[in-house]
């Protein structure tokens, strides 16, 4: 094990050394570089708004990208942040000394409530320019508003809750009339539903929030300076428009559940974090005298929505008696506190201040901080200036805090896109699990880190945690790249050795049987893993050695099967006399080469099953390669066992229709040895055509002769057409067999007569049977009595031949008469032929003047022509043109030669001074030669009508248009 570790350590150092040498600034024991190439943008990025108010800013609210700002005494400025260059200014129209106390903007940015310090309240809808007073609200100083996010719309607020400075909670509804800009009273109703109290009596309602949980349950949160109240109840389905009176009515006789803290800021403020638009808030932060109460919201709880509460005290530099916080805003992982001259951001995970922004005195004292929940932007204003904060990648360092809190799953979730941070978290988690003796979990985490392999491996070895070490190696192996072949090989080999060691330990302990089976299954899964297949295959020799050194034959066979090393599997079964198992492996995997190799061994022990397996393989096996196994087996086996060899050979010959000579020869040898009857039937079935016989005739003849199978020899002689030898041998067996052989040479009467004479001589001289000899005469027409007589001894009387001699004489007479009749018929035929010739010479035909050539359709009498018996008439040149292309080559050549000779005889003589007698003689000879030439031409050209003779029949498969002239003919038609 130590040597394997050293080898892997060296290879891993070589592969990682380049990375480690370059990571001069980075994570210890890691391949990741953690150097920041440029300054990172802060989480809270401040931006000063380019806006110079004409008057001091009294109040500012923002929601859904709609910003409303109270300026001076009587001006209201509305800005759609999507169109910041188009501000809208509205005048409150107040003549008295009333000032804006607070403003409240709903979640849609449509409804604006303006609370005045004169205990009055004004309303302004986004779609109108005129501010309306809410008469029913008069006499109440509004401290807070709980908007209805579930029923509110752009024209109707739905039932909302209103908190006053006297502790009363009112339910109200504001609606914009569809017939005109406003109805007579925009406030539909205004009724008190509850009063909040502290120990000293009614206290101002600082904050109100309405949330809806599951199954129609509503949660209402209300805060005073020191207390946080919760009202929980269900509003029946379909009655939501009727408001929340039923929820408060439940607590008419007793106080609802609340949280109370002793310190007092003189006010309190609660903030919520909503991860997505139109979803429920996920967490809250309540700023009060003792600090900030932070927690999550669990809507499934029956009585209280608040969960996981904790109080983060204010930082040491905040003294609530001197510079108490003014406002609070909650983000996903931080809450921001607004102080008169600065902003502090505190992490909700550990309570540490992670950000502080100090404002210059020239901007004035900070007044208020609010957040637009729809776009997650934070706004801060003084009386002169407005600032905006963008929250960017707030979760960038959250992983580190979760890691320090040992919340590793959350830490990994927040750094899954940053591998260098994920590596740190995994290393920390692995170390934490190791220290807590959770070694398997530690191994899984270590395998995912970039820490040095050898350090981790030695760590588990020193702790004697072999199972964890195996888990670590398995995970490390699964993370290796395909190119890291050396590391893969070493890990695979090491894991194999560890598995074998562990299995050896467990196998000897009966109490660990279940663990042994589980480990064995894991080992087999490891061996059969597709990812490890190539590595195991390339190093199978080493794995075999390991398996052999541990004596684990079971897994050696299992591994051989996985590697498809069936030769080793079969050899193992044969060595242990498990021949049936070996044959099952061969039959299952159907490897021809393995059949050839192991059949000699298997057929010695289970011949019938082996032959059955061969037959099941069918044509995939070459029977020639199995013959050595059969020969070796048949030499030492009994007749019954040889029958198995015959069974397979017969299957090859009759079922597979094998034609290989070696197969047929071997089957012949088996037949000759054990089955003579089958031998003769096989030979007869093979036929007598030497070209269709697949066995060696000479070998078959020698084999039959050695074993004394004469009938079979006779058959082979007949196939070889050695009829004399066949008859000679047949006469030793059966005369009838010899007779059948004697009739075979049908085309050679002389040989056939000779063979029959052999039979007759044998019958007469050897068997001395005159009657049988006479029977030979009747069996063969070629034999005459005179041919047989010399074979008889002199003392034989004529009585035995009297009938045969008479029959012979009668045959001669019949033959003479037949010849006479044939001669007479020939004489008559010759006479009729002479008469037909004479008649043909005198035959003629008449041609009308208007007759036309059948080929060119021109008048026939204009040129030399031919008239055929069928009635067709052709000009000489037209007939020649039609016949010439269809003549054989030799006739074409002969015709051309005759035409040249004819042309030569028609030329006038060049000599003008020859004697007259000589000219006459020459002309006579020329005329005779010319007529002969013309007759020869006629024999070729006018042998038959070109339309009615064989020429037309032979040309039936020729195209009408010559293929070579097809293109030319086609162009002529265009």
């Amino acid at each position: 094990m130590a040597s394997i570790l050293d080898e892997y350590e060296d290879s891993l150092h070589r592969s990682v050394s380049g990375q480690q040498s370059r990571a001069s600034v980075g994570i210890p024991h890691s391949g990741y570089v953690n150097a920041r190439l440029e300054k990172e943008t802060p989480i809270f990025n401040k931006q000063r708004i380019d806006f110079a108010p004409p008057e001091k800013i009294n109040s500012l609210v923002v929601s859904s990208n709609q910003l409303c700002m109270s300026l001076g005494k009587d001006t209201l400025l509305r800005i759609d942040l999507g169109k910041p260059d188009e501000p809208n200014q509205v005048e409150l129209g107040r003549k008295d000394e009333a000032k804006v106390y607070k403003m409240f903007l709903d979640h849609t940015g449509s409804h604006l409530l303006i609370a005045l310090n004169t205990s009055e309240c004004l309303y302004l809808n986004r779609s109108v320019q005129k501010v309306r007073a809410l008469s029913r609200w008069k006499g109440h100083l509004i401290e807070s508003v709980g908007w209805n996010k579930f029923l509110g719309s752009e024209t109707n607020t739905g039932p909302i809750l209103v908190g006053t400075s006297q502790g009363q909670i009112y339910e109200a509804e504001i609606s914009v009339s569809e017939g005109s800009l406003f109805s007579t009273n925009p406030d539909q109703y205004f009724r008190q539903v509850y009063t909040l109290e502290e120990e000293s009596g009614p206290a101002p309602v600082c904050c109100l929030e309405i949330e809806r949980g599951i199954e129609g349950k509503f949660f209402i949160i209300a805060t005073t300076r020191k207390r946080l109240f919760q009202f929980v109840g269900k509003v029946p389905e379909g009655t939501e428009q009727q408001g929340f009176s039923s929820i408060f009515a439940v607590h008419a006789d007793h106080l609802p559940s609340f949280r109370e803290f002793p310190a007092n800021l003189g006010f309190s403020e609660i903030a919520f974090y909503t991860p997505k638009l139109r979803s429920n808030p996920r967490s809250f932060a309540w700023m009060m005298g003792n600090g900030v109460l932070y927690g999550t919201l669990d809507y499934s709880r029956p009585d209280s929505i608040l969960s996981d509460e904790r109080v983060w005290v204010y930082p040491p530099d905040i003294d609530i008696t001197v510079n108490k916080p003014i406002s609070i805003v909650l983000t996903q992982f931080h809450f921001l506190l607004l102080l008169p001259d600065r902003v502090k951001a505190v992490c909700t995970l550990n309570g540490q201040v992670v950000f502080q922004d100090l404002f210059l005195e020239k901007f004035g004292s900070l007044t208020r901080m609010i957040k637009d929940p729809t776009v997650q932007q934070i706004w801060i204003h003084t009386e002169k200036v407005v600032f905006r904060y963008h929250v960017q990648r707030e979760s960038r360092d959250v992983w580190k805090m979760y890691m320090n809190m040992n919340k590793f799953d959350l830490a990994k979730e927040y750094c899954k896109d940053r591998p260098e941070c994920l590596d740190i978290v995994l290393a920390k988690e692995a170390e934490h699990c190791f220290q807590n003796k959770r070694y398997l979990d530690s191994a899984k985490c270590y395998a995912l880190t970039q820490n040095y392999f050898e350090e981790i491996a030695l760590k588990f070895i020193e702790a004697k945690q072999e199972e964890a070490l195996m888990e670590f190696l398995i995970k490390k192996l699964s993370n290796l790249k395909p190119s890291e072949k050396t590391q893969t090989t070493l890990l695979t080999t090491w894991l194999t050795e560890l598995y074998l060691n562990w299995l050896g330990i467990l196998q000897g302990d009966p109490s660990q049987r279940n663990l042994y089976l589980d480990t064995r299954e894991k080992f087999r899964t490891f061996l059969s893993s597709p990812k490890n297949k190539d590595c195991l295959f390339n190093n199978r020799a080493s794995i075999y050695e390991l398996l052999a050194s541990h004596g684990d034959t079971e897994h050696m066979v299992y591994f051989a099967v996985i590697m498809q090393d069936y030769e080793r599997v079969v050899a193992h079964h044969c060595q242990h006399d498990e021949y049936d198992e070996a044959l099952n492996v061969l039959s299952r995997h159907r490897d021809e080469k393995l059949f050839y190799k192991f059949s000699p061994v298997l057929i010695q022990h289970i011949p019938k099953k082996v032959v059955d397996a061969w037959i099941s393989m069918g044509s995939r096996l070459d029977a020639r390669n199995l013959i050595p196994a059969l020969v070796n087996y048949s030499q030492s086996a009994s007749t019954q066992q040889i029958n198995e060899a015959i069974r397979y050979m017969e299957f090859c010959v009759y079922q597979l229709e094998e034609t290989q000579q070696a197969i047929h020869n071997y089957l012949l040898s088996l037949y000759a040895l054990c089955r003579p009857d089958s031998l003769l039937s096989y030979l007869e079935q093979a036929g007598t055509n030497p070209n269709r016989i697949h066995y060696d005739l000479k070998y078959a003849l020698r084999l039959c002769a050695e074993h004394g199978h004469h009938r079979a020899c006779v058959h082979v002689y007949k196939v070889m057409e050695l009829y004399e030898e066949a008859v000679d041998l047949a006469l030793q067996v059966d005369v009838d067999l010899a007779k059948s052989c004697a009739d075979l040479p049908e085309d050679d009467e002389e040989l056939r007569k000779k063979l029959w004479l052999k039979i007759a001589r044998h019958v007469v001289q050897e068997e001395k049977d005159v009657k049988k000899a006479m029977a030979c005469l009747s069996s063969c027409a070629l034999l005459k009595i005179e041919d047989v007589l010399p074979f008889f001894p002199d003392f034989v009387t004529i009585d035995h031949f009297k009938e045969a001699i008479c029959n012979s004489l009668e045959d001669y007479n019949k033959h003479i008469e037949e010849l006479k009749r044939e001669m007479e018929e020939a004489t008559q035929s010759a006479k009729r032929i002479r008469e037909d010739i004479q008649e043909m010479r005198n035959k003629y035909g008449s041609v009308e003047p208007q007759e036309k050539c059948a080929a060119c359709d021109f008048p026939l009498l204009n040129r030399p022509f031919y008239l055929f018996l069928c009635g067709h008439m052709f000009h000489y040149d037209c007939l020649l043109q039609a016949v010439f292309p269809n003549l054989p080559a030799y006739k074409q050549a002969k015709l051309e030669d005759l035409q040249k000779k004819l042309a030569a005889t028609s030329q006038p003589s060049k000599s003008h001074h020859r004697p007259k007698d000589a000219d006459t003689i020459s002309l006579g000879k020329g005329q005779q030669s010319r007529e002969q030439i013309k007759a020869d031409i006629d024999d070729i050209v006018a042998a038959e009508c070109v339309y009615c003779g064989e020429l037309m029949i032979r040309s039936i498969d020729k195209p009408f248009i010559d293929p070579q002239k097809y293109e030319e003919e086609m162009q002529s038609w265009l």
Side-chain angles (χ1 to χ4, degrees):
M1 183 184 300
S3 62
I4 294 175
L5 179 59
D6 293 339
E7 292 178 12
Y8 186 85
E9 183 179 327
D10 294 339
S11 65
L12 196 64
H13 275 158
R14 289 194 298 272
S15 65
V16 182
S17 59
Q19 299 180 24
Q20 292 293 335
S21 61
R22 291 190 295 269
S24 56
V25 180
I27 302 169
H29 311 299
S30 171
Y32 296 111
V33 177
N34 196 26
R36 295 182 178 177
L37 302 180
E38 60 184 19
K39 187 176 180 180
E40 196 168 28
T41 305
I43 295 175
F44 302 101
N45 188 20
K46 182 175 69 174
Q47 175 189 8
R48 180 180 174 181
I49 304 302
D50 186 13
F51 171 69
E55 300 180 71
K56 70 175 184 177
I57 303 173
N58 298 323
S59 182
L60 183 147
V61 289
V62 61
S63 181
S64 294
N65 243 8
Q66 301 296 317
L67 185 144
C68 298
M69 189 185 307
S70 172
L71 302 176
K73 174 183 175 184
D74 199 47
T75 303
L76 188 66
L77 187 64
R78 296 189 295 183
I79 301 174
D80 184 348
L81 297 177
K83 304 174 183 177
D85 297 333
E86 301 176 9
N88 176 249
Q89 185 171 321
V90 179
E91 298 297 330
L92 298 182
R94 302 289 296 190
K95 303 295 184 180
D96 53 13
E97 296 297 325
K99 296 180 180 179
V100 174
Y101 176 64
K102 284 185 178 181
M103 292 197 304
F104 308 95
L105 187 62
D106 80 320
H107 63 287
T108 65
S110 301
H111 307 283
L112 176 65
L113 292 174
I114 307 165
L116 304 178
N117 59 357
T118 56
S119 298
E120 294 179 85
C121 192
L122 306 178
Y123 172 76
L124 178 63
N125 189 277
R126 183 169 64 180
S127 59
V128 299
Q129 287 289 106
K130 186 177 180 181
V131 178
R132 297 299 303 268
L134 302 177
S135 58
R136 291 188 175 89
W137 297 40
K138 191 173 183 179
H140 301 284
L141 183 61
I142 307 303
E143 291 283 351
S144 58
V145 175
W147 296 103
N148 193 326
K149 295 177 285 188
F150 316 104
L151 297 178
S153 65
E154 293 184 359
T155 59
N156 190 288
T157 62
I160 61 174
L161 297 177
V162 180
T164 69
S165 60
Q166 301 300 317
Q168 295 97 356
I169 298 178
Y170 287 88
E171 185 178 74
E173 183 176 357
I174 302 174
S175 178
V176 177
S177 174
E178 296 181 359
S180 60
L181 287 178
F182 292 100
S183 62
T184 307
N185 293 311
D187 48 339
Q188 302 298 307
Y189 61 88
F190 190 77
R191 55 174 176 260
Q192 183 177 352
V193 293
Y194 203 79
T195 300
L196 296 183
E197 296 183 353
E198 295 180 353
E199 69 276 3
S200 58
V205 182
C206 299
C207 298
L208 282 170
E209 181 74 14
I210 304 171
E211 295 298 338
R212 182 170 60 185
I214 59 177
E215 298 178 354
K217 187 181 292 186
F218 281 84
F219 298 89
I220 299 173
I221 298 175
T223 66
T224 62
R225 295 165 297 189
K226 298 166 59 176
R227 291 183 177 180
L228 186 150
F229 295 87
Q230 292 185 79
F231 299 89
V232 182
K234 286 187 177 181
V235 176
E237 187 176 356
T239 63
E240 292 89 347
Q241 199 66 40
Q242 297 179 8
F244 307 103
S245 303
S246 59
I247 298 176
F248 290 100
V250 176
H251 304 283
D253 299 331
H254 62 278
L255 287 175
S257 62
F258 64 88
R259 303 284 189 276
E260 184 174 17
F261 295 90
N264 185 358
L265 292 173
F267 65 94
S268 71
E269 185 173 345
I270 191 168
F272 296 89
Y273 168 71
T274 304
K276 294 181 181 179
L277 185 64
R278 296 188 182 278
S279 64
N280 291 328
R282 194 173 67 183
S283 56
F284 74 96
W286 180 37
M287 182 183 72
M288 41 77 183
N290 292 80
V292 176
L293 177 66
Y294 173 80
T296 59
L297 302 178
D298 186 356
Y299 296 92
S300 62
R301 299 180 66 182
D303 300 324
S304 174
I305 193 175
L306 308 181
S307 178
D308 298 331
E309 302 170 53
R310 68 181 70 179
V311 176
W312 295 116
V313 297
Y314 294 122
D317 59 342
I318 296 181
D319 185 356
I320 62 174
T321 61
V322 179
N323 59 340
K324 57 187 177 183
I326 304 169
S327 294
I328 186 171
V329 163
L330 181 63
T331 62
Q332 186 177 5
F333 296 106
H334 303 85
F335 59 82
L336 281 72
L337 296 174
L338 181 68
L339 301 170
D341 61 346
R342 71 192 64 193
V343 173
K344 286 182 178 290
V346 180
C347 179
T348 57
L349 300 177
N350 56 15
Q352 300 297 317
V353 176
V354 297
F355 172 78
Q356 179 171 279
D357 193 4
L358 188 64
F359 288 76
L360 300 177
E361 292 184 3
K362 66 177 183 178
F363 298 137
S365 178
L366 301 179
T367 306
R368 183 165 171 76
M369 175 174 61
I370 55 174
K371 185 180 76 168
D372 186 346
T374 58
V375 294
Q376 304 295 328
Q377 292 180 350
I378 301 170
W379 296 78
I380 297 175
H381 72 92
T382 66
E383 293 182 350
K384 304 176 182 179
V385 186
V386 178
F387 297 93
R388 177 171 57 189
Y389 281 96
H390 293 275
V391 182
Q392 297 180 336
R393 295 180 57 231
E394 185 181 4
S395 61
R396 67 184 70 172
D397 294 325
V398 169
W399 65 270
K400 199 177 299 182
M401 301 173 191
Y402 279 128
M403 181 184 70
N404 294 331
M405 298 163 62
N406 293 334
K407 295 183 178 180
F408 300 108
D409 290 338
L410 290 173
K412 287 183 283 188
E413 179 67 24
Y414 285 100
C415 64
K416 59 185 178 183
D417 297 329
R418 301 170 64 185
E420 72 281 0
C421 302
L422 181 61
D423 189 69
I424 297 175
V425 174
L426 289 169
K428 182 70 179 293
E429 182 181 7
E431 185 64 28
H432 174 77
C433 294
F434 192 91
Q435 292 175 358
N436 288 276
K437 301 188 183 302
R438 292 163 48 202
Y439 297 110
L440 287 177
D441 293 337
S442 177
K444 293 176 183 178
C445 294
Y446 269 131
L448 298 175
T449 67
Q450 297 295 319
N451 291 29
Y452 290 137
F453 171 84
E454 62 275 12
E455 291 182 1
I456 302 169
L458 289 172
K459 196 170 187 177
F460 287 115
I461 293 173
E462 291 172 358
K464 298 181 179 180
Q465 294 298 321
E466 194 165 294
E467 188 177 1
L469 176 61
M470 290 168 60
E471 185 67 28
F472 169 69
L473 296 179
I474 291 172
K475 293 295 183 183
K476 202 70 178 177
L477 178 63
S478 65
N479 293 331
L480 289 178
K481 299 176 182 177
S483 59
E484 298 174 315
K485 295 183 179 179
T486 304
Q487 293 90 328
T488 303
T489 301
L490 292 172
L491 280 182
T492 303
T493 309
W494 192 3
L495 274 169
T496 302
E497 185 175 2
L498 289 174
Y499 268 120
L500 291 173
N501 287 336
W502 187 239
L503 286 171
I505 295 171
L506 295 176
Q507 192 173 16
D509 188 354
S511 62
Q512 300 291 332
R513 179 64 179 171
N514 292 334
L515 182 58
Y516 167 77
L517 295 176
D518 184 57
T519 306
R520 185 182 68 175
E521 187 62 30
K522 289 181 180 179
F523 182 42
R524 292 185 174 184
T525 303
F526 167 75
L527 292 177
S528 59
S529 171
K531 188 173 183 180
N532 303 332
K533 183 177 181 180
D534 291 341
C535 177
L536 290 170
F537 181 80
N538 294 332
N539 300 277
R540 58 188 182 280
S542 301
I543 303 299
Y544 281 131
E545 290 178 6
L546 279 176
L547 292 166
S549 65
H550 285 267
D552 195 341
T553 57
E554 178 186 0
H555 284 107
M556 181 181 292
V557 173
Y558 181 83
F559 179 69
V561 172
I562 293 174
M563 294 294 104
Q564 298 183 353
D565 190 359
Y566 303 117
E567 180 178 351
R568 186 181 295 269
V569 177
V570 176
H572 169 81
H573 288 309
C574 291
Q575 290 171 2
H576 292 79
D577 297 337
E578 299 170 351
Y579 302 110
D580 288 333
E581 290 295 328
L583 185 59
N584 288 338
V585 174
L586 290 176
S587 301
R588 188 163 55 249
H589 299 289
R590 306 173 73 83
D591 189 328
E592 300 88 349
K593 295 181 180 179
L594 295 183
F595 266 102
Y596 301 147
K597 182 172 183 178
F598 291 100
S599 289
V601 176
L602 295 175
I603 199 169
Q604 298 290 339
H605 300 88
I606 48 174
K608 185 178 185 306
K609 293 181 179 179
V610 171
V611 171
D612 290 339
W614 289 350
I615 292 175
S616 68
M617 287 288 288
S619 60
R620 293 185 60 178
L621 289 179
D622 188 347
R624 293 176 299 174
N625 296 328
L626 297 173
I627 289 177
L630 291 171
V631 170
N632 185 40
Y633 168 69
S634 60
Q635 288 176 353
S636 59
S638 64
T639 303
Q640 183 178 0
Q641 293 170 323
I642 293 177
N643 289 336
E644 294 298 331
I646 294 176
R647 182 162 68 97
Y648 180 65
M649 288 292 105
E650 288 179 340
F651 168 77
C652 294
V653 170
Y654 298 121
Q655 300 296 325
L656 301 183
E657 299 180 353
E658 285 284 354
T659 60
Q660 295 295 330
Q661 192 177 77
I663 297 172
H664 287 263
N665 287 346
Y666 183 60
L667 181 59
L668 270 175
S669 68
L670 293 175
Y671 279 151
L673 184 64
C674 296
R675 294 187 185 177
D677 297 337
S678 299
L679 172 64
L680 186 58
S681 63
Y682 166 78
L683 294 173
E684 292 174 349
Q685 186 173 353
T688 58
N689 186 349
N691 296 325
R692 295 184 179 181
I693 289 176
H694 305 302
Y695 58 85
D696 187 344
L697 290 169
K698 294 179 180 179
Y699 173 76
L701 184 61
R702 185 176 70 251
L703 196 67
C704 296
E706 287 177 357
H707 291 84
H709 303 312
H710 298 307
R711 287 184 178 273
C713 288
V714 170
H715 181 82
V716 176
Y717 277 133
K718 290 193 296 183
V719 176
M720 297 173 71
E721 298 183 355
L722 300 176
Y723 301 115
E724 291 189 40
E725 290 83 351
V727 171
D728 291 341
L729 185 59
L731 288 174
Q732 300 177 20
V733 180
D734 185 8
V735 175
D736 292 335
L737 179 61
K739 290 180 179 179
S740 65
C741 297
D743 284 332
L744 290 177
E746 298 177 356
D747 299 332
D748 192 345
E749 292 185 354
E750 183 179 352
L751 177 60
R752 192 148 54 106
K753 182 176 180 181
K754 182 179 180 180
L755 297 177
W756 276 103
L757 286 174
K758 282 180 177 287
I759 296 172
R761 175 181 293 177
H762 174 80
V763 171
V764 173
Q765 295 179 354
E766 300 296 330
E767 299 186 6
K768 301 185 185 304
D769 190 339
V770 178
K771 292 183 179 181
K772 189 178 288 188
M774 293 300 101
C776 291
L777 292 177
S778 61
S779 299
C780 180
L782 300 177
L783 288 182
K784 305 299 179 183
I785 185 64
E786 59 268 26
D787 298 327
V788 181
L789 285 176
F791 302 146
F792 289 97
D794 297 336
F795 56 83
V796 177
T797 62
I798 198 171
D799 294 339
H800 295 92
F801 313 116
K802 180 179 180 180
E803 184 178 355
I805 293 172
C806 292
N807 291 336
S808 179
L809 293 174
E810 289 179 1
D811 290 341
Y812 282 129
N813 290 331
K814 290 179 181 179
H815 185 60
I816 292 170
E817 292 296 327
E818 184 68 24
L819 290 175
K820 287 182 179 179
R821 187 170 60 255
E822 290 179 359
M823 291 174 63
E824 291 177 358
E825 290 178 357
T827 303
Q828 293 295 327
S829 296
K831 182 178 180 182
R832 285 195 296 270
I833 290 172
R834 286 193 295 270
E835 292 175 353
D836 290 342
I837 292 173
Q838 187 64 33
E839 184 181 355
M840 288 298 296
R841 286 177 178 172
N842 299 324
K843 197 167 185 177
Y844 65 94
S846 60
V847 178
E848 299 294 333
Q850 67 273 17
E851 292 290 348
K852 296 182 179 180
C853 175
C856 65
D857 205 32
F858 280 95
L860 187 68
L861 300 178
N862 290 348
R863 300 198 300 273
F865 64 90
Y866 288 100
L867 171 64
F868 290 95
L869 294 177
C870 60
H872 288 117
M873 294 169 279
F874 301 90
H875 288 128
Y876 166 76
D877 54 342
C878 293
L879 182 63
L880 179 64
Q881 185 178 2
V883 171
F884 186 81
N886 297 289
L887 291 174
Y890 74 93
K891 284 192 175 182
Q892 290 181 354
K894 184 178 180 180
L895 182 60
E896 290 176 350
D897 184 56
L898 291 172
Q899 286 177 329
K900 290 178 182 178
K901 290 180 180 180
L902 182 64
T905 58
S906 64
Q907 292 178 355
S909 175
K910 296 182 179 180
S911 176
H912 300 283
H913 303 285
R914 284 182 300 177
K916 183 177 180 182
D917 295 340
D919 292 343
T920 304
I921 296 171
S922 175
L923 180 62
K925 292 182 179 179
Q927 286 291 343
Q928 184 180 5
S929 176
R930 181 181 178 85
E931 292 298 328
Q932 183 63 42
I933 292 171
K934 291 177 67 177
D936 292 341
I937 291 175
D938 290 343
D939 290 341
I940 296 175
V941 175
E944 60 181 359
C945 175
V946 71
Y947 286 171
C948 303
E950 292 184 2
L951 182 62
M952 179 60 67
I953 297 173
R954 289 197 302 270
S955 64
I956 194 170
D957 60 340
K958 293 184 179 180
F960 291 109
I961 300 175
D962 188 349
Q964 297 179 354
K965 299 180 180 180
Y966 180 79
E967 292 294 333
E968 179 181 351
E969 184 69 21
M970 186 174 66
Q971 293 295 330
S972 67
W973 282 73
L974 297 178

